[in-house]
Structure formats: C-alpha cells, structure tokens
Amino acid sequence: MANRPLAYTLSERKATVGTLAGKTVIQANPTGRKRVDHRTFCEEVARATTFTGVEVEAVLRLAAEVAKKHVENGDIVDFGDIGSLRPSFRSKLVEKGKEEFNAALHITKPVVKLSPSRRYFTLTGVTYERVEAPAKKP
C-alpha cells in the first residue's frame, strides 16, 4: 500500500486558552479521510494470510469478546501493539458519615478503557498536503 500525504485545510478561529487566548489564529485540520469498513479491512488482512476474510473477521470478533470477558472480571488485557484494555467506571461522591457507600447506587457507567500504545499510535514517516476547504453549502 503506497503512502499518501495526509490532506489538511487551514481554518481561522479565535484562541480561547493559552498565550494566544483572544487572538485570531490559523489551525490545520485533517480532511479528505475515508472510512475503511470492517469487511474490507478483513479481506485485506486475509490476502496476506492463508485465512479467508470471514475467518479473519471471526478471529477478530472472538478476540474482542474474550478480552471483554477478562476486563469484566477486573483484569487488564495486553492487546499487543494496540495497547491495554482495562476496566473503569464513574463513582459518585458520598459525604463521609452521612450515608454508607453503596456500590450498586454510587458506582456508575462501567466501561472498557483503552490505554493506547504510544509507539503504535504515533504516526511516523507521514507527509502532508494542503488542500482547499470544500465550499460551504448555502
């Protein structure tokens, strides 16, 4: 797969924080991205293996299900180059002495958190291409 430059547009906006707060600044924004759907991705991976696209999809789905079961049990799952999956949740504040802490009431929104690998998620060897912003629809 040949590397293409990352397309970007420039936009003008007013800075709200930092040393440039209140000043008009120019900022680059990525654009021109397309989404690679899951099946296409699996077919592409399959071409480099002895598996079919359906088998690759099944293995990826199984890996995600198994990892989620481990995280639901409180484990941290090392998901290779991608990073680690760990359990997390929100906890309501309870004033000490006023009432007992009740996990069923005070712990909410249990989720799987991804701690991404810096090495994997840091893009290297990319180039950039400035493009014109598409005209805004009236």
Short mmCIF file of all heavy atoms in Angstrom, two decimals, residues 87-135:
data_model
loop_
_atom_site.label_atom_id
_atom_site.label_comp_id
_atom_site.label_asym_id
_atom_site.label_seq_id
_atom_site.Cartn_x
_atom_site.Cartn_y
_atom_site.Cartn_z
N PRO A 87 -10.63 -2.20 32.97
CA PRO A 87 -11.95 -1.76 33.41
C PRO A 87 -11.88 -0.38 34.06
O PRO A 87 -10.87 0.00 34.65
CB PRO A 87 -12.34 -2.82 34.45
CG PRO A 87 -11.04 -3.33 34.96
CD PRO A 87 -10.06 -3.22 33.84
N SER A 88 -12.98 0.36 33.93
CA SER A 88 -13.08 1.66 34.57
C SER A 88 -14.56 1.94 34.84
O SER A 88 -15.43 1.26 34.32
CB SER A 88 -12.49 2.75 33.67
OG SER A 88 -12.49 3.99 34.36
N PHE A 89 -14.83 2.93 35.68
CA PHE A 89 -16.21 3.33 35.98
C PHE A 89 -16.19 4.71 36.60
O PHE A 89 -15.15 5.23 36.95
CB PHE A 89 -16.89 2.33 36.92
CG PHE A 89 -16.11 2.04 38.18
CD1 PHE A 89 -16.09 2.94 39.24
CD2 PHE A 89 -15.39 0.86 38.30
CE1 PHE A 89 -15.37 2.67 40.39
CE2 PHE A 89 -14.67 0.59 39.45
CZ PHE A 89 -14.66 1.49 40.50
N ARG A 90 -17.38 5.30 36.73
CA ARG A 90 -17.53 6.56 37.45
C ARG A 90 -18.05 6.26 38.84
O ARG A 90 -18.78 5.31 39.04
CB ARG A 90 -18.51 7.47 36.72
CG ARG A 90 -17.95 7.99 35.43
CD ARG A 90 -18.84 9.03 34.85
NE ARG A 90 -18.23 9.51 33.63
CZ ARG A 90 -18.57 10.62 33.04
NH1 ARG A 90 -19.54 11.36 33.54
NH2 ARG A 90 -17.98 11.00 31.94
N SER A 91 -17.67 7.10 39.78
CA SER A 91 -18.12 6.93 41.15
C SER A 91 -18.67 8.25 41.66
O SER A 91 -18.03 9.30 41.53
CB SER A 91 -16.96 6.49 42.04
OG SER A 91 -17.37 6.41 43.38
N LYS A 92 -19.87 8.20 42.22
CA LYS A 92 -20.47 9.40 42.81
C LYS A 92 -19.79 9.66 44.15
O LYS A 92 -19.35 8.75 44.84
CB LYS A 92 -21.97 9.19 43.01
CG LYS A 92 -22.73 9.04 41.71
CD LYS A 92 -24.20 8.82 41.96
CE LYS A 92 -24.94 8.64 40.65
NZ LYS A 92 -26.34 8.29 40.84
N LEU A 93 -19.73 10.93 44.52
CA LEU A 93 -19.16 11.31 45.80
C LEU A 93 -20.21 11.13 46.89
O LEU A 93 -21.37 11.49 46.73
CB LEU A 93 -18.70 12.77 45.77
CG LEU A 93 -17.65 13.12 44.72
CD1 LEU A 93 -17.38 14.61 44.74
CD2 LEU A 93 -16.38 12.33 44.95
N VAL A 94 -19.78 10.55 48.00
CA VAL A 94 -20.67 10.35 49.14
C VAL A 94 -20.01 10.99 50.35
O VAL A 94 -18.86 10.67 50.67
CB VAL A 94 -20.93 8.84 49.40
CG1 VAL A 94 -21.79 8.64 50.62
CG2 VAL A 94 -21.55 8.20 48.17
N GLU A 95 -20.73 11.89 51.00
CA GLU A 95 -20.16 12.57 52.16
C GLU A 95 -19.94 11.56 53.27
O GLU A 95 -20.82 10.77 53.62
CB GLU A 95 -21.11 13.68 52.63
CG GLU A 95 -20.48 14.56 53.68
CD GLU A 95 -21.38 15.74 54.04
OE1 GLU A 95 -22.29 16.05 53.26
OE2 GLU A 95 -21.14 16.32 55.11
N LYS A 96 -18.75 11.62 53.86
CA LYS A 96 -18.37 10.69 54.92
C LYS A 96 -19.28 10.90 56.12
O LYS A 96 -19.49 12.02 56.57
CB LYS A 96 -16.90 10.92 55.29
CG LYS A 96 -16.36 9.90 56.25
CD LYS A 96 -14.88 10.13 56.50
CE LYS A 96 -14.35 9.14 57.49
NZ LYS A 96 -12.94 9.36 57.77
N GLY A 97 -19.81 9.81 56.64
CA GLY A 97 -20.65 9.87 57.82
C GLY A 97 -22.13 10.07 57.51
O GLY A 97 -22.97 9.74 58.32
N LYS A 98 -22.46 10.64 56.36
CA LYS A 98 -23.86 10.91 56.03
C LYS A 98 -24.59 9.61 55.65
O LYS A 98 -25.70 9.38 56.06
CB LYS A 98 -23.97 11.90 54.88
CG LYS A 98 -23.74 13.31 55.31
CD LYS A 98 -25.06 13.94 55.66
CE LYS A 98 -24.85 15.40 55.99
NZ LYS A 98 -26.05 16.11 56.16
N GLU A 99 -23.97 8.82 54.81
CA GLU A 99 -24.59 7.56 54.41
C GLU A 99 -23.51 6.58 54.00
O GLU A 99 -22.41 6.97 53.63
CB GLU A 99 -25.63 7.78 53.29
CG GLU A 99 -25.08 7.83 51.89
CD GLU A 99 -26.18 8.06 50.86
OE1 GLU A 99 -26.62 9.21 50.74
OE2 GLU A 99 -26.54 7.11 50.18
N GLU A 100 -23.85 5.33 54.07
CA GLU A 100 -22.90 4.30 53.66
C GLU A 100 -22.72 4.32 52.15
O GLU A 100 -23.65 4.62 51.41
CB GLU A 100 -23.43 2.92 54.08
CG GLU A 100 -23.24 2.61 55.54
CD GLU A 100 -21.78 2.46 55.92
OE1 GLU A 100 -21.03 1.75 55.23
OE2 GLU A 100 -21.37 3.09 56.91
N PHE A 101 -21.51 3.98 51.71
CA PHE A 101 -21.26 3.87 50.28
C PHE A 101 -21.90 2.58 49.79
O PHE A 101 -21.64 1.51 50.32
CB PHE A 101 -19.75 3.86 50.00
CG PHE A 101 -19.43 3.86 48.55
CD1 PHE A 101 -19.31 5.06 47.86
CD2 PHE A 101 -19.25 2.68 47.85
CE1 PHE A 101 -19.02 5.07 46.52
CE2 PHE A 101 -18.96 2.69 46.50
CZ PHE A 101 -18.84 3.89 45.84
N ASN A 102 -22.73 2.69 48.77
CA ASN A 102 -23.42 1.53 48.19
C ASN A 102 -22.96 1.42 46.74
O ASN A 102 -23.31 2.25 45.90
CB ASN A 102 -24.93 1.73 48.27
CG ASN A 102 -25.70 0.54 47.73
OD1 ASN A 102 -25.19 -0.26 46.96
ND2 ASN A 102 -26.94 0.44 48.14
N ALA A 103 -22.18 0.39 46.44
CA ALA A 103 -21.63 0.23 45.10
C ALA A 103 -22.71 0.20 44.03
O ALA A 103 -22.55 0.79 42.96
CB ALA A 103 -20.78 -1.03 45.02
N ALA A 104 -23.82 -0.45 44.31
CA ALA A 104 -24.90 -0.54 43.32
C ALA A 104 -25.49 0.83 42.99
O ALA A 104 -25.95 1.06 41.88
CB ALA A 104 -25.99 -1.48 43.83
N LEU A 105 -25.47 1.76 43.95
CA LEU A 105 -26.02 3.09 43.73
C LEU A 105 -24.97 4.11 43.29
O LEU A 105 -25.25 5.01 42.50
CB LEU A 105 -26.67 3.62 45.01
CG LEU A 105 -27.94 2.93 45.49
CD1 LEU A 105 -28.37 3.50 46.83
CD2 LEU A 105 -29.04 3.11 44.45
N HIS A 106 -23.79 4.00 43.84
CA HIS A 106 -22.79 5.05 43.68
C HIS A 106 -21.73 4.80 42.62
O HIS A 106 -21.00 5.72 42.27
CB HIS A 106 -22.14 5.35 45.04
CG HIS A 106 -23.12 5.81 46.05
ND1 HIS A 106 -23.45 5.05 47.15
CD2 HIS A 106 -23.90 6.92 46.12
CE1 HIS A 106 -24.36 5.69 47.86
NE2 HIS A 106 -24.65 6.82 47.26
N ILE A 107 -21.63 3.59 42.11
CA ILE A 107 -20.71 3.32 41.00
C ILE A 107 -21.56 3.22 39.74
O ILE A 107 -22.51 2.45 39.69
CB ILE A 107 -19.89 2.04 41.23
CG1 ILE A 107 -18.96 2.21 42.42
CG2 ILE A 107 -19.09 1.69 39.98
CD1 ILE A 107 -18.14 0.99 42.77
N THR A 108 -21.20 4.02 38.74
CA THR A 108 -21.98 4.05 37.50
C THR A 108 -21.09 3.95 36.28
O THR A 108 -19.87 4.14 36.37
CB THR A 108 -22.80 5.36 37.40
OG1 THR A 108 -21.89 6.47 37.38
CG2 THR A 108 -23.76 5.52 38.56
N LYS A 109 -21.69 3.69 35.16
CA LYS A 109 -21.06 3.67 33.85
C LYS A 109 -19.78 2.83 33.79
O LYS A 109 -18.70 3.34 33.48
CB LYS A 109 -20.77 5.08 33.37
CG LYS A 109 -22.02 5.91 33.20
CD LYS A 109 -21.74 7.24 32.59
CE LYS A 109 -23.05 8.01 32.45
NZ LYS A 109 -22.90 9.25 31.76
N PRO A 110 -19.89 1.52 34.04
CA PRO A 110 -18.70 0.68 33.85
C PRO A 110 -18.36 0.59 32.36
O PRO A 110 -19.26 0.43 31.53
CB PRO A 110 -19.14 -0.67 34.42
CG PRO A 110 -20.63 -0.66 34.33
CD PRO A 110 -21.06 0.76 34.46
N VAL A 111 -17.10 0.77 32.03
CA VAL A 111 -16.65 0.77 30.63
C VAL A 111 -15.30 0.06 30.49
O VAL A 111 -14.60 -0.16 31.48
CB VAL A 111 -16.51 2.21 30.08
CG1 VAL A 111 -17.84 2.92 30.02
CG2 VAL A 111 -15.51 3.01 30.88
N VAL A 112 -14.96 -0.26 29.25
CA VAL A 112 -13.63 -0.75 28.91
C VAL A 112 -12.84 0.46 28.44
O VAL A 112 -13.28 1.20 27.56
CB VAL A 112 -13.68 -1.80 27.77
CG1 VAL A 112 -12.28 -2.21 27.36
CG2 VAL A 112 -14.49 -3.01 28.19
N LYS A 113 -11.68 0.70 29.03
CA LYS A 113 -10.81 1.81 28.62
C LYS A 113 -9.62 1.25 27.86
O LYS A 113 -9.03 0.25 28.27
CB LYS A 113 -10.28 2.56 29.85
CG LYS A 113 -11.31 3.39 30.56
CD LYS A 113 -11.47 4.71 29.89
CE LYS A 113 -12.38 5.58 30.74
NZ LYS A 113 -12.31 6.96 30.44
N LEU A 114 -9.28 1.91 26.76
CA LEU A 114 -8.09 1.56 26.00
C LEU A 114 -6.97 2.50 26.40
O LEU A 114 -7.13 3.72 26.32
CB LEU A 114 -8.35 1.67 24.50
CG LEU A 114 -7.11 1.61 23.60
CD1 LEU A 114 -6.43 0.24 23.70
CD2 LEU A 114 -7.48 1.92 22.16
N SER A 115 -5.87 1.95 26.86
CA SER A 115 -4.66 2.74 27.09
C SER A 115 -3.78 2.48 25.87
O SER A 115 -3.10 1.45 25.80
CB SER A 115 -3.95 2.30 28.37
OG SER A 115 -4.78 2.50 29.48
N PRO A 116 -3.84 3.36 24.88
CA PRO A 116 -3.14 3.09 23.62
C PRO A 116 -1.63 3.09 23.76
O PRO A 116 -1.07 3.82 24.57
CB PRO A 116 -3.61 4.22 22.70
CG PRO A 116 -4.09 5.29 23.60
CD PRO A 116 -4.51 4.64 24.88
N SER A 117 -1.00 2.25 22.97
CA SER A 117 0.45 2.18 22.93
C SER A 117 0.97 3.42 22.19
O SER A 117 0.56 3.68 21.06
CB SER A 117 0.88 0.92 22.18
OG SER A 117 2.20 1.03 21.72
N ARG A 118 1.84 4.17 22.80
CA ARG A 118 2.39 5.36 22.16
C ARG A 118 3.12 5.00 20.87
O ARG A 118 3.01 5.70 19.87
CB ARG A 118 3.35 6.08 23.10
CG ARG A 118 2.65 6.93 24.10
CD ARG A 118 3.61 7.89 24.76
NE ARG A 118 2.88 8.67 25.74
CZ ARG A 118 3.33 8.96 26.93
NH1 ARG A 118 4.51 8.55 27.30
NH2 ARG A 118 2.59 9.66 27.75
N ARG A 119 3.87 3.91 20.91
CA ARG A 119 4.64 3.51 19.74
C ARG A 119 3.74 3.21 18.56
O ARG A 119 4.00 3.61 17.43
CB ARG A 119 5.50 2.29 20.08
CG ARG A 119 6.54 2.00 19.02
CD ARG A 119 7.49 0.88 19.46
NE ARG A 119 7.54 -0.06 18.37
CZ ARG A 119 7.09 -1.30 18.41
NH1 ARG A 119 6.61 -1.78 19.51
NH2 ARG A 119 7.16 -2.07 17.36
N TYR A 120 2.62 2.53 18.80
CA TYR A 120 1.72 2.16 17.73
C TYR A 120 0.91 3.35 17.23
O TYR A 120 0.68 3.51 16.04
CB TYR A 120 0.77 1.05 18.21
CG TYR A 120 -0.19 0.58 17.14
CD1 TYR A 120 0.22 -0.31 16.16
CD2 TYR A 120 -1.51 1.04 17.11
CE1 TYR A 120 -0.66 -0.74 15.18
CE2 TYR A 120 -2.38 0.61 16.14
CZ TYR A 120 -1.96 -0.28 15.18
OH TYR A 120 -2.82 -0.70 14.21
N PHE A 121 0.45 4.20 18.14
CA PHE A 121 -0.45 5.28 17.77
C PHE A 121 0.27 6.58 17.40
O PHE A 121 -0.38 7.59 17.15
CB PHE A 121 -1.48 5.53 18.87
CG PHE A 121 -2.58 4.51 18.84
CD1 PHE A 121 -2.51 3.38 19.64
CD2 PHE A 121 -3.65 4.65 17.99
CE1 PHE A 121 -3.51 2.42 19.60
CE2 PHE A 121 -4.66 3.69 17.93
CZ PHE A 121 -4.58 2.59 18.74
N THR A 122 1.59 6.56 17.36
CA THR A 122 2.34 7.72 16.89
C THR A 122 2.72 7.46 15.44
O THR A 122 3.44 6.51 15.14
CB THR A 122 3.61 7.94 17.73
OG1 THR A 122 3.21 8.13 19.10
CG2 THR A 122 4.38 9.14 17.24
N LEU A 123 2.17 8.26 14.54
CA LEU A 123 2.44 8.07 13.12
C LEU A 123 3.83 8.59 12.79
O LEU A 123 4.21 9.69 13.21
CB LEU A 123 1.39 8.80 12.27
CG LEU A 123 -0.04 8.34 12.47
CD1 LEU A 123 -0.98 9.19 11.62
CD2 LEU A 123 -0.20 6.87 12.13
N THR A 124 4.59 7.81 12.03
CA THR A 124 5.92 8.23 11.61
C THR A 124 6.00 8.12 10.10
O THR A 124 5.29 7.34 9.48
CB THR A 124 7.02 7.35 12.24
OG1 THR A 124 6.77 5.99 11.89
CG2 THR A 124 7.05 7.49 13.75
N GLY A 125 6.85 8.90 9.50
CA GLY A 125 7.05 8.83 8.06
C GLY A 125 5.87 9.34 7.25
O GLY A 125 5.66 8.93 6.12
N VAL A 126 5.06 10.24 7.83
CA VAL A 126 3.93 10.79 7.08
C VAL A 126 4.33 12.11 6.43
O VAL A 126 5.22 12.80 6.91
CB VAL A 126 2.68 11.00 7.97
CG1 VAL A 126 2.16 9.69 8.50
CG2 VAL A 126 2.95 11.96 9.10
N THR A 127 3.67 12.42 5.33
CA THR A 127 3.85 13.71 4.68
C THR A 127 2.49 14.41 4.69
O THR A 127 1.47 13.80 4.98
CB THR A 127 4.36 13.55 3.24
OG1 THR A 127 3.42 12.75 2.51
CG2 THR A 127 5.73 12.88 3.22
N TYR A 128 2.50 15.68 4.35
CA TYR A 128 1.28 16.47 4.42
C TYR A 128 1.03 17.18 3.10
O TYR A 128 1.97 17.55 2.39
CB TYR A 128 1.36 17.51 5.55
CG TYR A 128 1.69 16.86 6.87
CD1 TYR A 128 3.00 16.80 7.33
CD2 TYR A 128 0.70 16.29 7.65
CE1 TYR A 128 3.29 16.19 8.54
CE2 TYR A 128 0.99 15.68 8.85
CZ TYR A 128 2.30 15.63 9.28
OH TYR A 128 2.59 15.03 10.47
N GLU A 129 -0.24 17.36 2.77
CA GLU A 129 -0.62 18.07 1.54
C GLU A 129 -1.76 19.02 1.89
O GLU A 129 -2.81 18.59 2.37
CB GLU A 129 -1.09 17.05 0.51
CG GLU A 129 -1.62 17.69 -0.76
CD GLU A 129 -2.18 16.68 -1.72
OE1 GLU A 129 -2.56 15.58 -1.32
OE2 GLU A 129 -2.21 17.01 -2.92
N ARG A 130 -1.54 20.29 1.62
CA ARG A 130 -2.59 21.29 1.88
C ARG A 130 -3.59 21.26 0.73
O ARG A 130 -3.22 21.27 -0.44
CB ARG A 130 -1.98 22.66 2.01
CG ARG A 130 -2.98 23.73 2.33
CD ARG A 130 -2.28 25.04 2.56
NE ARG A 130 -3.21 26.14 2.61
CZ ARG A 130 -2.84 27.39 2.72
NH1 ARG A 130 -1.56 27.71 2.77
NH2 ARG A 130 -3.75 28.34 2.76
N VAL A 131 -4.88 21.21 1.07
CA VAL A 131 -5.94 21.23 0.07
C VAL A 131 -6.90 22.36 0.41
O VAL A 131 -6.93 22.82 1.55
CB VAL A 131 -6.70 19.87 -0.01
CG1 VAL A 131 -5.76 18.76 -0.44
CG2 VAL A 131 -7.34 19.53 1.32
N GLU A 132 -7.68 22.77 -0.56
CA GLU A 132 -8.66 23.82 -0.32
C GLU A 132 -9.88 23.24 0.39
O GLU A 132 -10.30 22.13 0.09
CB GLU A 132 -9.08 24.47 -1.64
CG GLU A 132 -7.98 25.28 -2.29
CD GLU A 132 -7.44 26.39 -1.40
OE1 GLU A 132 -8.26 27.10 -0.77
OE2 GLU A 132 -6.22 26.56 -1.33
N ALA A 133 -10.43 23.99 1.31
CA ALA A 133 -11.62 23.56 2.03
C ALA A 133 -12.78 23.52 1.06
O ALA A 133 -12.89 24.39 0.18
CB ALA A 133 -11.92 24.51 3.17
N PRO A 134 -13.64 22.50 1.16
CA PRO A 134 -14.79 22.46 0.27
C PRO A 134 -15.71 23.66 0.53
O PRO A 134 -15.80 24.15 1.64
CB PRO A 134 -15.49 21.14 0.64
CG PRO A 134 -14.93 20.74 1.96
CD PRO A 134 -13.60 21.42 2.11
N ALA A 135 -16.37 24.12 -0.53
CA ALA A 135 -17.27 25.26 -0.40
C ALA A 135 -18.43 24.89 0.53
O ALA A 135 -18.95 23.78 0.46
CB ALA A 135 -17.79 25.67 -1.76
#
